[in-house]
Amino acid sequence: MSVRFFRHDHCLYMFDPDTFRVYRFERGGWVLSEDPTLREELRFRSVEVSCAEALQAACG
């Protein structure tokens, strides 16, 4: 899995380009988002973060 991580509106997201699914980090875990507009929001209005940055943000 070659996922990519993004920060948008103070939330952390994970995008899986193999399945085109977007996950939001909530309450200590990744939750599949069913919002059809979220992919475009992440594409044009977010900041990509590294895996290490995503892990740090998720843990602390």
Side-chain angles (χ1 to χ4, degrees), residues 1-27:
M1 187 190 292
S2 59
V3 297
R4 298 172 78 177
F5 299 93
F6 296 90
R7 180 172 293 285
H8 175 66
D9 288 340
H10 305 290
C11 295
L12 188 61
Y13 294 92
M14 176 175 63
F15 174 69
D16 182 355
D18 296 331
T19 62
F20 293 102
R21 291 186 175 166
V22 176
Y23 300 85
R24 180 179 177 160
F25 192 77
E26 291 181 11
R27 292 179 240 128

Side-chain angles (χ1 to χ4, degrees), residues 22-60:
V22 176
Y23 300 85
R24 180 179 177 160
F25 192 77
E26 291 181 11
R27 292 179 240 128
W30 294 104
V31 179
L32 179 63
S33 174
E34 298 295 336
D35 183 356
T37 63
L38 188 55
R39 240 182 282 144
E40 293 301 314
E41 286 290 318
L42 292 178
R43 184 175 177 196
F44 296 113
R45 295 177 187 90
S46 68
V47 175
E48 185 170 4
V49 296
S50 69
C51 182
E53 290 172 309
L55 181 60
Q56 183 179 18
C59 292

